[in-house]
């Protein structure tokens, strides 16, 4: 069992830079415990079978390792070519269809690297510059991915642009996302992240497009505020406030949604709202709580065109009192029709 800290990292690092030797170091059935600066436990990585050795044919120090993290198995190969002053890293996890290869030159003080990521048949390559203070990276695809990480204090900022993205992939790997959040790896007062993700087309949605997702982590607090998505060209859906509430039993997203209609008639037609209930509406505002683990919603403070109505509040209270509060295409359509029916009177 290893408690990961700077000394342990240097311990493993020395194997990759040691002089040629016939000796081999083998680690089996071990665990690495990751802790924060206050010695609080974060998560565990398992080592099933790991080998450090020198390849006399290729003149390389090599690490080959079978591991697991967040219940995800992965294989890791690290090679150090001492004469070329290059390190090669390959990581492969078949369960999430992820392959990562990295090549970095350490000839100079500012190290140059090339990273190749293949995730679910989507390939991304970017180059980076690394020094003692920061790492700067930029994708080889134009304007696809760029950012910077400052080490002291730690600050990560980046922007990511997709032309196409599948929502099914997110829901399929939702359990992994929940496990990462539960691990509290992001719950660190020394961690600051600022990530902007823009997706032009959502492949699994007939109407949703142009997703702008803003993720901000400040001193362990996770915010999705000021994110936005379009429903065709007729509706802008804004998450003006959005925060994750994390505890041992649940992960909840708390926020405020604003629906700004440019042409609500097309929205009515798509969800087959009765013609007699098709009132002219400019905006809808509502607070919500969404449980990521329970996969259900609760709503509050519904306003249409900036006005509260008692009959709408009763509708929301009725919805919140149900044992099952999960939306699919049918239940969401029924909810909307009930909402517009009550509003029309």
């Amino acid at each position: 069992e290893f408690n990961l800290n700077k000394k342990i990292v240097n311990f493993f690092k020395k194997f990759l830079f040691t002089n040629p030797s016939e000796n081999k170091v083998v680690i089996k059935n071990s665990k690495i415990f990751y802790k924060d600066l206050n010695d609080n436990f974060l998560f565990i990585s398992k080592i099933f079978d790991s080998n450090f050795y020198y390849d006399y044919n290729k003149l390389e120090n090599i690490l080959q390792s079978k591991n697991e993290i967040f219940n995800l198995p992965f294989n890791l190969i690290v090679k150090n070519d001492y004469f070329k002053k290059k390190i090669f890293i390959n990581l492969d996890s078949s369960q999430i269809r992820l392959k990562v290869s990295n090549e970095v030159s350490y000839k100079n003080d500012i190290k140059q690297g090339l990273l190749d990521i293949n995730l679910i048949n989507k390939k991304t390559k970017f180059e980076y510059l690394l020094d003692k203070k920061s790492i700067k990276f930029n994708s080889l695809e134009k304007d696809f991915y760029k950012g910077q990480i400052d080490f002291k204090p730690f600050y990560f900022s980046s922007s990511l642009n997709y032309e196409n993205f599948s929502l099914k992939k997110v829901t399929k790997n939702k359990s992994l996302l929940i496990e990462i959040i539960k691990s509290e790896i992001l719950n660190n007062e020394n961690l600051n992240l600022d990530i902007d993700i823009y997706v032009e087309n959502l492949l699994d949605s007939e109407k949703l497009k142009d997703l702008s997702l803003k993720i901000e982590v400040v001193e362990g607090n996770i915010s999705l505020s000021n994110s936005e998505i379009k429903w065709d060209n007729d509706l802008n859906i804004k998450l003006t406030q959005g925060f994750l509430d994390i505890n041992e039993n649940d992960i909840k997203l708390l926020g405020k949604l604003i629906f700004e209609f440019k042409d609500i008639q097309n929205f009515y037609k798509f969800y087959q709202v009765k013609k007699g209930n098709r009132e002219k509406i400019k905006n809808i505002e509502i607070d919500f709580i969404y449980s990521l683990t329970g996969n259900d919603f609760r709503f509050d403070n519904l306003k249409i065109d900036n006005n509260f109505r008692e009959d709408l509040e009763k509708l929301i209270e009725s919805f919140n009192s149900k044992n099952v509060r999960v939306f699919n295409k049918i239940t969401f359509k029924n909810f909307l029709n009930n909402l517009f029916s009550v509003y029309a009177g």
Side-chain angles (χ1 to χ4, degrees), residues 120-293:
I120 317 178
N121 298 325
K122 174 65 178 179
K123 289 187 176 181
T124 304
K125 287 186 177 181
F126 60 86
E127 54 192 2
Y128 60 89
L129 297 174
L130 172 66
D131 59 27
K132 293 181 179 180
K133 294 182 179 180
S134 66
I135 179 171
K136 299 178 182 179
F137 48 91
N138 189 61
S139 64
L140 299 183
E141 302 171 68
K142 185 179 179 181
D143 298 328
F144 176 69
Y145 196 83
K146 60 182 178 181
Q148 179 171 333
I149 301 174
D150 297 322
F151 300 135
K152 291 184 179 181
F154 185 89
Y155 180 76
F156 175 79
S157 62
S158 70
S159 61
L160 175 63
N161 295 281
Y162 275 101
E163 289 186 2
N164 301 290
F165 191 79
S166 172
L167 290 174
K168 287 183 179 179
K169 294 176 183 177
V170 177
T171 55
K172 185 178 180 180
N173 294 310
K174 181 180 174 181
S175 59
L176 172 62
L177 176 63
I178 290 174
E179 288 300 318
I180 292 175
I181 296 174
K182 278 187 174 180
S183 71
E184 297 188 0
I185 188 173
L186 300 176
N187 189 20
N188 191 316
E189 62 181 14
N190 299 301
L191 181 64
N192 296 284
L193 307 178
D194 190 358
I195 304 172
D196 292 338
I197 301 175
Y198 177 77
V199 182
E200 186 174 343
N201 295 310
L202 294 170
L203 298 179
D204 308 311
S205 174
E206 187 175 351
K207 292 292 185 178
L208 294 176
K209 65 176 187 177
D210 296 349
L211 169 66
S212 176
L213 180 62
K214 296 183 178 295
I215 304 172
E216 186 179 22
V217 180
V218 179
E219 296 182 352
N221 298 309
I222 305 173
S223 169
L224 303 177
S225 299
N226 301 315
S227 297
E228 185 175 349
I229 193 170
K230 288 184 179 180
W231 188 94
D232 208 355
N233 293 318
D234 304 315
L235 169 63
N236 289 340
I237 305 172
K238 297 181 178 180
L239 179 63
T240 57
Q241 300 174 26
F243 304 93
L244 285 182
D245 179 30
I246 305 167
N247 57 53
E248 294 181 358
N249 301 317
D250 199 1
I251 300 173
K252 295 178 181 178
L253 174 62
L254 294 75
K256 179 186 292 292
L257 285 172
I258 297 178
F259 299 80
E260 295 180 346
F261 293 96
K262 295 181 179 180
D263 186 352
I264 197 172
Q265 297 304 318
N266 290 331
F267 188 81
Y268 282 146
K269 291 176 184 177
F270 183 82
Y271 286 105
Q272 300 176 343
V273 176
K274 293 180 180 180
K275 290 185 178 181
N277 297 331
R278 297 182 181 183
E279 300 285 335
K280 289 184 178 180
I281 294 174
K282 292 183 178 180
N283 64 73
I284 297 175
E285 181 179 317
I286 193 167
D287 297 338
F288 73 94
I289 299 175
Y290 172 62
S291 169
L292 274 71
T293 52

Side-chain angles (χ1 to χ4, degrees), residues 13-27:
K13 183 179 176 181
K14 286 179 181 179
F15 286 119
L16 291 173
F17 288 89
T18 190
N19 294 324
S21 172
E22 294 182 356
N23 296 319
K24 176 188 284 191
V25 177
V26 178
I27 301 174

Side-chain angles (χ1 to χ4, degrees), residues 35-53:
K35 297 183 177 182
D36 63 16
L37 295 177
N38 296 319
D39 205 36
N40 296 315
F41 171 75
L42 295 177
F43 58 91
I44 298 174
S45 176
K46 297 179 182 179
I47 301 175
F48 298 113
D49 188 8
S50 183
N51 295 277
F52 289 90
Y53 63 94

